[in-house]
Amino acid sequence: MERFPADRRPRVAVYSFGYSHFVIVLGIAVASVGMEKAIDNFHHASHGAPALLLPLGISLYPAGLACLHRTLAGAWPQARLWAALAVTALAPPAALHLSGAAALVSALLVLLALILWEGHHWDQAV
């Protein structure tokens, strides 16, 4: 926060530690309900809103992290945005047509890919 001019600090604080954190916490809460629904439908397909809760929550989390990074660092972290989009694209069809287990696995694979991608690029940047 020290690198921002004094007149911009309140706005940066509200955007980064207010709005962005709200999206992150909302993503965690929605993802936890979605995980519960996915476990309830572990061996069969979900229908309606329960199939959408897991991908919605998991995609909100990296989107909130991306907003936080954008506010503080000035650049959009593309990998987090792509991960949010990938979870949104892969998990709902898995939950609707396969099973809760497939939805959990698809979300897990996307998040694992994000962790490996960012870890690899972090090592190169340092």
Short mmCIF file of all heavy atoms in Angstrom, two decimals, residues 2-43:
data_model
loop_
_atom_site.label_atom_id
_atom_site.label_comp_id
_atom_site.label_asym_id
_atom_site.label_seq_id
_atom_site.Cartn_x
_atom_site.Cartn_y
_atom_site.Cartn_z
N GLU A 2 2.09 1.14 0.48
CA GLU A 2 2.95 2.33 0.56
C GLU A 2 3.33 2.88 -0.81
O GLU A 2 3.62 4.06 -0.93
CB GLU A 2 4.22 1.99 1.34
CG GLU A 2 3.97 1.75 2.79
CD GLU A 2 5.24 1.36 3.53
OE1 GLU A 2 6.30 1.20 2.88
OE2 GLU A 2 5.17 1.22 4.74
N ARG A 3 3.31 2.06 -1.85
CA ARG A 3 3.71 2.55 -3.16
C ARG A 3 2.61 3.35 -3.85
O ARG A 3 2.86 4.00 -4.86
CB ARG A 3 4.17 1.41 -4.04
CG ARG A 3 3.10 0.45 -4.46
CD ARG A 3 3.71 -0.65 -5.34
NE ARG A 3 2.69 -1.56 -5.77
CZ ARG A 3 2.07 -1.49 -6.94
NH1 ARG A 3 2.39 -0.56 -7.79
NH2 ARG A 3 1.14 -2.36 -7.25
N PHE A 4 1.40 3.33 -3.30
CA PHE A 4 0.31 4.13 -3.86
C PHE A 4 0.31 5.53 -3.24
O PHE A 4 0.64 5.69 -2.07
CB PHE A 4 -1.05 3.47 -3.58
CG PHE A 4 -1.24 2.18 -4.32
CD1 PHE A 4 -1.10 0.97 -3.67
CD2 PHE A 4 -1.56 2.18 -5.67
CE1 PHE A 4 -1.27 -0.22 -4.34
CE2 PHE A 4 -1.73 1.00 -6.35
CZ PHE A 4 -1.58 -0.20 -5.70
N PRO A 5 -0.07 6.53 -4.02
CA PRO A 5 -0.19 7.88 -3.45
C PRO A 5 -1.23 7.89 -2.33
O PRO A 5 -2.20 7.11 -2.34
CB PRO A 5 -0.65 8.74 -4.63
CG PRO A 5 -0.36 7.95 -5.85
CD PRO A 5 -0.37 6.51 -5.45
N ALA A 6 -1.04 8.76 -1.38
CA ALA A 6 -1.91 8.81 -0.20
C ALA A 6 -3.38 9.01 -0.57
O ALA A 6 -4.26 8.45 0.08
CB ALA A 6 -1.45 9.91 0.74
N ASP A 7 -3.68 9.77 -1.61
CA ASP A 7 -5.07 10.02 -1.96
C ASP A 7 -5.73 8.80 -2.62
O ASP A 7 -6.96 8.70 -2.63
CB ASP A 7 -5.18 11.24 -2.88
CG ASP A 7 -4.44 11.07 -4.20
OD1 ASP A 7 -3.41 10.36 -4.21
OD2 ASP A 7 -4.89 11.66 -5.21
N ARG A 8 -4.95 7.84 -3.14
CA ARG A 8 -5.52 6.63 -3.76
C ARG A 8 -5.61 5.45 -2.80
O ARG A 8 -6.29 4.47 -3.09
CB ARG A 8 -4.67 6.22 -4.96
CG ARG A 8 -4.85 7.15 -6.15
CD ARG A 8 -4.24 6.60 -7.41
NE ARG A 8 -4.73 5.27 -7.71
CZ ARG A 8 -3.97 4.33 -8.29
NH1 ARG A 8 -2.72 4.59 -8.61
NH2 ARG A 8 -4.47 3.14 -8.54
N ARG A 9 -4.95 5.51 -1.67
CA ARG A 9 -4.91 4.37 -0.75
C ARG A 9 -6.28 3.92 -0.25
O ARG A 9 -6.54 2.72 -0.19
CB ARG A 9 -3.99 4.67 0.43
CG ARG A 9 -2.54 4.66 0.04
CD ARG A 9 -1.65 4.95 1.21
NE ARG A 9 -0.29 5.16 0.72
CZ ARG A 9 0.64 5.76 1.40
NH1 ARG A 9 0.40 6.19 2.63
NH2 ARG A 9 1.84 5.92 0.89
N PRO A 10 -7.19 4.83 0.11
CA PRO A 10 -8.50 4.35 0.56
C PRO A 10 -9.24 3.56 -0.52
O PRO A 10 -9.82 2.51 -0.24
CB PRO A 10 -9.26 5.62 0.92
CG PRO A 10 -8.20 6.63 1.22
CD PRO A 10 -7.06 6.28 0.32
N ARG A 11 -9.19 4.03 -1.76
CA ARG A 11 -9.86 3.32 -2.85
C ARG A 11 -9.22 1.97 -3.10
O ARG A 11 -9.91 0.96 -3.28
CB ARG A 11 -9.84 4.15 -4.13
CG ARG A 11 -10.55 3.44 -5.28
CD ARG A 11 -10.58 4.25 -6.51
NE ARG A 11 -11.39 5.43 -6.27
CZ ARG A 11 -11.50 6.44 -7.09
NH1 ARG A 11 -10.85 6.43 -8.22
NH2 ARG A 11 -12.24 7.48 -6.81
N VAL A 12 -7.89 1.92 -3.10
CA VAL A 12 -7.18 0.66 -3.30
C VAL A 12 -7.51 -0.31 -2.18
O VAL A 12 -7.73 -1.50 -2.41
CB VAL A 12 -5.66 0.90 -3.41
CG1 VAL A 12 -4.88 -0.40 -3.37
CG2 VAL A 12 -5.35 1.67 -4.69
N ALA A 13 -7.57 0.19 -0.96
CA ALA A 13 -7.88 -0.67 0.19
C ALA A 13 -9.29 -1.24 0.07
O ALA A 13 -9.50 -2.44 0.32
CB ALA A 13 -7.73 0.11 1.50
N VAL A 14 -10.26 -0.42 -0.32
CA VAL A 14 -11.64 -0.90 -0.45
C VAL A 14 -11.74 -1.93 -1.57
O VAL A 14 -12.37 -2.98 -1.41
CB VAL A 14 -12.61 0.28 -0.69
CG1 VAL A 14 -13.97 -0.21 -1.12
CG2 VAL A 14 -12.72 1.12 0.56
N TYR A 15 -11.12 -1.66 -2.71
CA TYR A 15 -11.18 -2.60 -3.83
C TYR A 15 -10.48 -3.91 -3.53
O TYR A 15 -11.00 -4.98 -3.80
CB TYR A 15 -10.59 -1.99 -5.09
CG TYR A 15 -11.46 -0.94 -5.75
CD1 TYR A 15 -10.92 -0.02 -6.61
CD2 TYR A 15 -12.82 -0.87 -5.50
CE1 TYR A 15 -11.70 0.95 -7.22
CE2 TYR A 15 -13.61 0.09 -6.10
CZ TYR A 15 -13.05 1.00 -6.96
OH TYR A 15 -13.82 1.95 -7.55
N SER A 16 -9.26 -3.80 -2.96
CA SER A 16 -8.49 -5.02 -2.76
C SER A 16 -8.92 -5.80 -1.52
O SER A 16 -9.12 -7.01 -1.60
CB SER A 16 -7.00 -4.69 -2.68
OG SER A 16 -6.74 -3.80 -1.63
N PHE A 17 -9.05 -5.14 -0.40
CA PHE A 17 -9.35 -5.85 0.84
C PHE A 17 -10.83 -5.83 1.20
O PHE A 17 -11.22 -6.39 2.21
CB PHE A 17 -8.51 -5.28 1.98
CG PHE A 17 -7.05 -5.37 1.70
CD1 PHE A 17 -6.29 -4.25 1.45
CD2 PHE A 17 -6.42 -6.61 1.63
CE1 PHE A 17 -4.94 -4.33 1.17
CE2 PHE A 17 -5.07 -6.71 1.35
CZ PHE A 17 -4.33 -5.57 1.12
N GLY A 18 -11.64 -5.22 0.38
CA GLY A 18 -13.08 -5.23 0.56
C GLY A 18 -13.76 -6.08 -0.49
O GLY A 18 -14.13 -7.22 -0.25
N TYR A 19 -13.88 -5.52 -1.69
CA TYR A 19 -14.60 -6.20 -2.77
C TYR A 19 -13.95 -7.51 -3.17
O TYR A 19 -14.63 -8.53 -3.33
CB TYR A 19 -14.73 -5.29 -3.99
CG TYR A 19 -15.47 -4.00 -3.72
CD1 TYR A 19 -15.02 -2.80 -4.25
CD2 TYR A 19 -16.63 -3.97 -2.94
CE1 TYR A 19 -15.69 -1.61 -4.02
CE2 TYR A 19 -17.29 -2.79 -2.70
CZ TYR A 19 -16.83 -1.62 -3.24
OH TYR A 19 -17.49 -0.45 -3.00
N SER A 20 -12.65 -7.51 -3.37
CA SER A 20 -11.97 -8.73 -3.80
C SER A 20 -12.08 -9.82 -2.75
O SER A 20 -12.35 -10.98 -3.07
CB SER A 20 -10.50 -8.45 -4.09
OG SER A 20 -10.37 -7.56 -5.16
N HIS A 21 -11.90 -9.46 -1.49
CA HIS A 21 -12.02 -10.46 -0.43
C HIS A 21 -13.46 -10.96 -0.30
O HIS A 21 -13.68 -12.12 0.05
CB HIS A 21 -11.50 -9.91 0.91
CG HIS A 21 -10.04 -10.10 1.07
ND1 HIS A 21 -9.11 -9.21 0.58
CD2 HIS A 21 -9.34 -11.11 1.62
CE1 HIS A 21 -7.91 -9.65 0.85
NE2 HIS A 21 -8.01 -10.80 1.48
N PHE A 22 -14.43 -10.10 -0.56
CA PHE A 22 -15.82 -10.56 -0.54
C PHE A 22 -16.03 -11.65 -1.59
O PHE A 22 -16.66 -12.67 -1.31
CB PHE A 22 -16.78 -9.38 -0.79
CG PHE A 22 -18.21 -9.82 -0.88
CD1 PHE A 22 -18.91 -10.16 0.26
CD2 PHE A 22 -18.85 -9.89 -2.10
CE1 PHE A 22 -20.24 -10.57 0.19
CE2 PHE A 22 -20.17 -10.29 -2.19
CZ PHE A 22 -20.86 -10.64 -1.05
N VAL A 23 -15.49 -11.46 -2.78
CA VAL A 23 -15.62 -12.47 -3.85
C VAL A 23 -14.90 -13.75 -3.46
O VAL A 23 -15.41 -14.86 -3.67
CB VAL A 23 -15.10 -11.91 -5.19
CG1 VAL A 23 -15.08 -12.99 -6.25
CG2 VAL A 23 -15.95 -10.73 -5.64
N ILE A 24 -13.73 -13.62 -2.85
CA ILE A 24 -12.97 -14.80 -2.42
C ILE A 24 -13.74 -15.58 -1.36
O ILE A 24 -13.89 -16.81 -1.46
CB ILE A 24 -11.58 -14.38 -1.89
CG1 ILE A 24 -10.72 -13.85 -3.03
CG2 ILE A 24 -10.88 -15.54 -1.17
CD1 ILE A 24 -9.45 -13.15 -2.57
N VAL A 25 -14.24 -14.90 -0.34
CA VAL A 25 -14.98 -15.58 0.74
C VAL A 25 -16.29 -16.15 0.22
O VAL A 25 -16.69 -17.27 0.59
CB VAL A 25 -15.21 -14.61 1.93
CG1 VAL A 25 -16.13 -15.21 2.96
CG2 VAL A 25 -13.87 -14.24 2.56
N LEU A 26 -16.97 -15.43 -0.66
CA LEU A 26 -18.19 -15.95 -1.27
C LEU A 26 -17.88 -17.22 -2.06
O LEU A 26 -18.63 -18.20 -1.99
CB LEU A 26 -18.83 -14.89 -2.17
CG LEU A 26 -20.11 -15.30 -2.87
CD1 LEU A 26 -21.21 -15.56 -1.86
CD2 LEU A 26 -20.53 -14.23 -3.88
N GLY A 27 -16.77 -17.22 -2.79
CA GLY A 27 -16.38 -18.41 -3.53
C GLY A 27 -16.13 -19.59 -2.61
O GLY A 27 -16.54 -20.71 -2.92
N ILE A 28 -15.48 -19.36 -1.49
CA ILE A 28 -15.23 -20.44 -0.52
C ILE A 28 -16.54 -20.99 0.02
O ILE A 28 -16.73 -22.21 0.11
CB ILE A 28 -14.31 -19.95 0.61
CG1 ILE A 28 -12.90 -19.67 0.07
CG2 ILE A 28 -14.26 -20.96 1.75
CD1 ILE A 28 -12.00 -18.94 1.04
N ALA A 29 -17.46 -20.09 0.38
CA ALA A 29 -18.74 -20.53 0.95
C ALA A 29 -19.57 -21.30 -0.08
O ALA A 29 -20.11 -22.37 0.23
CB ALA A 29 -19.52 -19.31 1.45
N VAL A 30 -19.66 -20.78 -1.29
CA VAL A 30 -20.44 -21.46 -2.32
C VAL A 30 -19.79 -22.79 -2.70
O VAL A 30 -20.48 -23.80 -2.90
CB VAL A 30 -20.63 -20.54 -3.55
CG1 VAL A 30 -21.28 -21.28 -4.70
CG2 VAL A 30 -21.47 -19.33 -3.18
N ALA A 31 -18.46 -22.82 -2.78
CA ALA A 31 -17.76 -24.06 -3.11
C ALA A 31 -17.98 -25.11 -2.03
O ALA A 31 -18.12 -26.30 -2.35
CB ALA A 31 -16.27 -23.80 -3.29
N SER A 32 -18.03 -24.71 -0.77
CA SER A 32 -18.25 -25.70 0.29
C SER A 32 -19.64 -26.32 0.19
O SER A 32 -19.79 -27.53 0.35
CB SER A 32 -18.02 -25.08 1.66
OG SER A 32 -19.01 -24.12 1.96
N VAL A 33 -20.63 -25.52 -0.12
CA VAL A 33 -21.98 -26.07 -0.32
C VAL A 33 -21.99 -26.95 -1.57
O VAL A 33 -22.59 -28.03 -1.58
CB VAL A 33 -23.03 -24.94 -0.42
CG1 VAL A 33 -24.39 -25.50 -0.78
CG2 VAL A 33 -23.10 -24.17 0.87
N GLY A 34 -21.31 -26.50 -2.63
CA GLY A 34 -21.22 -27.30 -3.84
C GLY A 34 -20.51 -28.62 -3.63
O GLY A 34 -20.91 -29.65 -4.19
N MET A 35 -19.47 -28.62 -2.80
CA MET A 35 -18.78 -29.87 -2.49
C MET A 35 -19.69 -30.82 -1.73
O MET A 35 -19.68 -32.03 -1.96
CB MET A 35 -17.51 -29.60 -1.69
CG MET A 35 -16.40 -29.03 -2.51
SD MET A 35 -14.96 -28.72 -1.46
CE MET A 35 -14.05 -27.63 -2.53
N GLU A 36 -20.47 -30.27 -0.81
CA GLU A 36 -21.42 -31.10 -0.07
C GLU A 36 -22.43 -31.74 -1.02
O GLU A 36 -22.72 -32.94 -0.92
CB GLU A 36 -22.14 -30.27 0.98
CG GLU A 36 -23.16 -31.06 1.76
CD GLU A 36 -23.98 -30.19 2.72
OE1 GLU A 36 -23.82 -28.96 2.71
OE2 GLU A 36 -24.78 -30.77 3.46
N LYS A 37 -22.95 -30.96 -1.96
CA LYS A 37 -23.91 -31.48 -2.93
C LYS A 37 -23.25 -32.50 -3.85
O LYS A 37 -23.87 -33.50 -4.22
CB LYS A 37 -24.54 -30.35 -3.75
CG LYS A 37 -25.31 -29.36 -2.93
CD LYS A 37 -26.48 -30.01 -2.24
CE LYS A 37 -27.26 -28.99 -1.43
NZ LYS A 37 -28.27 -29.60 -0.60
N ALA A 38 -22.00 -32.25 -4.24
CA ALA A 38 -21.29 -33.20 -5.10
C ALA A 38 -21.05 -34.52 -4.37
O ALA A 38 -21.14 -35.60 -4.97
CB ALA A 38 -19.97 -32.60 -5.57
N ILE A 39 -20.76 -34.45 -3.08
CA ILE A 39 -20.57 -35.68 -2.30
C ILE A 39 -21.89 -36.40 -2.13
O ILE A 39 -21.94 -37.64 -2.18
CB ILE A 39 -19.90 -35.35 -0.94
CG1 ILE A 39 -18.46 -34.92 -1.19
CG2 ILE A 39 -19.96 -36.53 0.01
CD1 ILE A 39 -17.76 -34.33 0.02
N ASP A 40 -22.99 -35.65 -1.94
CA ASP A 40 -24.31 -36.28 -1.86
C ASP A 40 -24.66 -37.03 -3.15
O ASP A 40 -25.33 -38.05 -3.11
CB ASP A 40 -25.40 -35.24 -1.57
CG ASP A 40 -25.34 -34.69 -0.16
OD1 ASP A 40 -24.66 -35.32 0.69
OD2 ASP A 40 -25.94 -33.63 0.09
N ASN A 41 -24.22 -36.49 -4.29
CA ASN A 41 -24.48 -37.10 -5.59
C ASN A 41 -23.20 -37.72 -6.16
O ASN A 41 -22.94 -37.64 -7.35
CB ASN A 41 -25.02 -36.05 -6.57
CG ASN A 41 -26.33 -35.49 -6.13
OD1 ASN A 41 -27.21 -36.22 -5.69
ND2 ASN A 41 -26.47 -34.18 -6.22
N PHE A 42 -22.44 -38.35 -5.30
CA PHE A 42 -21.11 -38.82 -5.67
C PHE A 42 -21.14 -39.81 -6.83
O PHE A 42 -20.29 -39.78 -7.71
CB PHE A 42 -20.43 -39.45 -4.45
CG PHE A 42 -18.95 -39.62 -4.61
CD1 PHE A 42 -18.10 -38.53 -4.52
CD2 PHE A 42 -18.41 -40.87 -4.88
CE1 PHE A 42 -16.73 -38.68 -4.67
CE2 PHE A 42 -17.04 -41.03 -5.02
CZ PHE A 42 -16.21 -39.93 -4.92
N HIS A 43 -22.13 -40.70 -6.85
CA HIS A 43 -22.16 -41.77 -7.85
C HIS A 43 -23.17 -41.55 -8.96
O HIS A 43 -23.31 -42.39 -9.83
CB HIS A 43 -22.45 -43.11 -7.18
CG HIS A 43 -21.36 -43.55 -6.25
ND1 HIS A 43 -20.11 -43.91 -6.70
CD2 HIS A 43 -21.33 -43.65 -4.90
CE1 HIS A 43 -19.36 -44.23 -5.67
NE2 HIS A 43 -20.06 -44.09 -4.57
#
